């Protein structure tokens, strides 16, 4: 069995397990760069009913190369990211609750904690609103993304996360929701006592990010 198809399936079925989706509002894709085939969730298929063989393989024009179902309606945004960011190997789109609250408010997720500094190296930026016609969503993602930050809040919409593999992109989506929840709670608490929370200084964010990404964290 095609290993990328299997990995994309496994990442998709983890979306509801990790409370990142409700209904069928979310999707994961991965790309086989040698063949330029993108594997993605089929449109509108419930996660609990989905099988490995349901994962759809498409080309960069959305033509179905593998599978019998239609690809996710978000395929065009995934493909745009793969076309313009050759280092990306996996893309996740969700409407997770707390992160989407930031999207609704048009707010970035500020970097209040060392944990967020570790993973994202910055605030998680928010974009202007973009409709789903043509490449509009992909273009605002490229416009607002921060180098090294594997996620973005799409204004009035939800989350896109992207990394070198589907598994890493899924982790970025998890962490986006995790820090959105922490930060929202912190902001509510601070408001209740009339306190203003300030993000970590840029120098501290850089220090924590670099440690997490190869300068001391983890095993060799």
């Amino acid at each position: 069995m095609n290993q990328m198809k299997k990995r994309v399936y496994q990442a998709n079925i983890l979306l509801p397990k990790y409370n990142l989706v409700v209904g069928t509002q979310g999707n994961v894709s991965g790309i086989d760069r040698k063949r330029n085939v993108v594997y993605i969730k089929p449109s509108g298929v419930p996660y609990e009913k989905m099988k490995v063989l349901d994962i759809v393989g498409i080309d960069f024009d959305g033509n179905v190369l593998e599978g019998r179902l239609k690809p996710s309606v978000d395929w065009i945004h995934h493909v745009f990211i793969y076309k313009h960011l050759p280092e990306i190997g996996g893309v996740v789109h969700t409407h997770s609750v707390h992160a989407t609250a930031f999207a609704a408010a048009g707010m970035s997720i500020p970097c209040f904690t060392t944990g967020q500094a570790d993973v994202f190296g910055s605030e998680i930026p928010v974009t202007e609103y973009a409709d789903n016609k043509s490449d509009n969503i992909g273009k605002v993602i490229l416009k607002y993304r921060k180098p090294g930050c594997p996620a973005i809040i799409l204004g009035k919409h939800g989350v896109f996360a992207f990394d070198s593999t589907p598994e890493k992109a899924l982790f970025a989506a998890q962490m986006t929701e995790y820090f959105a929840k922490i930060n929202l709670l912190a902001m509510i608490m601070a408001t209740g006592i009339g306190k203003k929370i300030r993000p970590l200084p840029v120098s501290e964010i850089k220090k924590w990010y670099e440690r997490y990404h190869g300068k001391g964290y983890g095993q060799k």
Side-chain angles (χ1 to χ4, degrees):
M1 178 178 291
N2 182 296
Q3 287 302 306
M4 181 57 72
K5 180 181 287 191
K6 185 176 180 181
R7 289 166 63 190
V8 168
Y9 165 78
Q10 290 172 335
N12 270 287
I13 62 173
L14 287 173
L15 291 178
K17 181 178 179 180
Y18 293 158
N19 293 317
L20 297 178
V21 298
V22 174
T24 58
Q25 289 196 327
N27 38 72
V28 181
S29 72
I31 186 170
D32 180 338
R33 287 282 182 188
K34 291 182 179 179
R35 299 187 298 137
N36 278 342
V37 177
V38 175
Y39 292 96
I40 193 167
K41 181 186 181 293
S43 179
V45 176
Y47 299 94
E48 65 272 14
K49 295 183 178 180
M50 192 169 57
K51 299 177 175 60
V52 178
L53 293 177
D54 293 331
I55 298 298
V56 187
I58 60 173
D59 64 18
F60 279 1
D61 295 315
N63 299 308
V64 175
L65 304 176
E66 298 179 34
R68 57 185 177 81
L69 300 175
K70 292 193 307 179
S72 165
V73 293
D74 294 316
W75 71 264
I76 192 169
H77 318 312
H78 290 243
V79 166
F80 187 93
I81 293 170
Y82 291 127
K83 278 183 176 180
H84 291 84
L85 298 173
E87 71 275 19
I88 297 303
V91 177
V92 178
H93 175 44
T94 77
H95 301 264
S96 57
V97 173
H98 298 89
T100 303
F102 280 88
M107 295 172 60
S108 62
I109 300 176
C111 190
F112 289 151
T113 63
T114 60
Q116 183 172 329
D118 281 344
V119 177
F120 296 98
S122 68
E123 67 178 13
I124 303 171
V126 65
T127 76
E128 63 197 72
Y129 173 73
D131 64 31
N132 60 359
K133 295 179 181 178
S134 186
D135 293 330
N136 290 348
I137 286 176
K139 287 176 180 176
V140 297
I141 290 172
L142 289 190
K143 178 180 177 181
Y144 286 92
R145 69 181 287 265
K146 289 181 177 290
C149 179
I152 201 162
I153 305 299
L154 193 62
K156 304 297 183 185
H157 192 142
V159 176
F160 270 88
F162 28 80
D163 211 321
S164 58
T165 68
E167 295 84 0
K168 288 183 178 180
L170 177 62
F171 176 73
Q174 281 182 272
M175 292 296 100
T176 300
E177 175 62 11
Y178 176 67
F179 291 115
K181 185 175 183 179
I182 288 173
N183 289 3
L184 184 58
L185 289 172
M187 292 161 74
I188 292 169
M189 291 168 64
T191 299
I193 60 173
K195 182 178 180 180
K196 182 177 176 61
I197 310 176
R198 298 188 183 279
L200 282 170
V202 172
S203 60
E204 285 298 298
I205 294 173
K206 183 175 184 289
K207 181 182 73 177
W208 288 91
Y209 180 82
E210 289 180 348
R211 187 198 68 154
Y212 187 80
H213 290 269
K215 291 187 177 180
Y217 182 83
Q219 306 301 313
K220 291 183 180 180

